[in-house]
Amino acid sequence: MNFRFFIFLLVLVMTSCSGRKEESGDLVWLTVEDASRLASDGTEKKFLIDVYTDWCGWCKVMDKKTFTDPALVAYLSQNFHLVKFNAEQKEPIVYKGKSYAWQDMGRNGVNALAIELLQGQLGYPSLIYLDHQFNVLRVSPGFKEPAQLLSDLKSL
């Protein structure tokens, strides 16, 4: 068995017990930490980070309506590693070797990683598209219908 494939499978098995958040359909959502380990696995899959908050109504609509669309689910599963990131997460997050802590600001405070990834434009939901090495390709704020998101993803 290919060593990289074995490591990938091992990470997937480990994430099933480590805070992975399955919100919709057949999509497997990873934490930021789990996804950052995959950034060096040798695959060419891009990453999509869904930045949300618990109080965001449109975030919940995207989980129920957009991320359950069969065509979108198939495309995402085949082409992307998926990450759910609560922008108001209080636990520190390690991303690209740097630790990001919760900051007391705004409505409920925010994790500093959200500030960095969203380039200071804190709006939810927001999607961040990354290449296979975790370099930001684009930040896309706001609710997306399934067809709109599919079109955006195919344009990357």
Side-chain angles (χ1 to χ4, degrees), residues 10-62:
L10 182 62
V11 169
L12 284 179
V13 168
M14 289 175 17
T15 60
S16 68
C17 302
S18 66
R20 177 174 56 108
K21 183 175 183 179
E22 284 194 55
E23 287 285 331
S24 50
D26 296 324
L27 295 175
V28 175
W29 295 96
L30 305 169
T31 64
V32 171
E33 290 92 344
D34 292 334
S36 62
R37 287 187 208 103
L38 292 176
S40 60
D41 73 353
T43 69
E44 295 294 316
K45 266 190 175 183
K46 294 179 178 87
F47 291 84
L48 179 141
I49 301 178
D50 177 20
V51 183
Y52 71 98
T53 63
D54 290 333
W55 52 263
C56 170
W58 285 111
C59 300
K60 293 173 181 156
V61 173
M62 276 191 70

Side-chain angles (χ1 to χ4, degrees), residues 77-88:
S77 297
Q78 184 174 14
N79 297 289
F80 286 83
H81 295 296
L82 305 172
V83 178
K84 281 277 188 193
F85 171 47
N86 184 344
E88 295 176 346

Side-chain angles (χ1 to χ4, degrees), residues 57-154:
W58 285 111
C59 300
K60 293 173 181 156
V61 173
M62 276 191 70
D63 283 340
K64 288 185 171 93
K65 182 177 179 183
T66 303
F67 290 125
T68 57
D69 178 80
L72 182 62
V73 167
Y75 188 82
L76 284 169
S77 297
Q78 184 174 14
N79 297 289
F80 286 83
H81 295 296
L82 305 172
V83 178
K84 281 277 188 193
F85 171 47
N86 184 344
E88 295 176 346
Q89 176 178 322
K90 291 190 177 183
E91 297 81 22
I93 299 171
V94 176
Y95 173 76
K96 291 184 162 183
K98 182 178 174 186
S99 184
Y100 294 86
W102 183 81
Q103 313 258 323
D104 186 16
M105 65 180 279
R107 181 181 209 167
N108 296 319
V110 66
N111 190 289
L113 180 58
I115 297 169
E116 183 172 313
L117 289 174
L118 297 175
Q119 302 162 351
Q121 303 297 310
L122 301 177
Y124 314 107
S126 285
L127 300 177
I128 302 165
Y129 308 118
L130 306 162
D131 69 14
H132 65 283
Q133 296 178 322
F134 254 40
N135 299 306
V136 175
L137 299 171
R138 186 181 333 157
V139 176
S140 181
F143 172 80
K144 307 283 185 286
E145 291 284 347
Q148 178 188 10
L149 179 53
L150 191 57
S151 176
D152 287 353
L153 295 170
K154 289 181 176 181

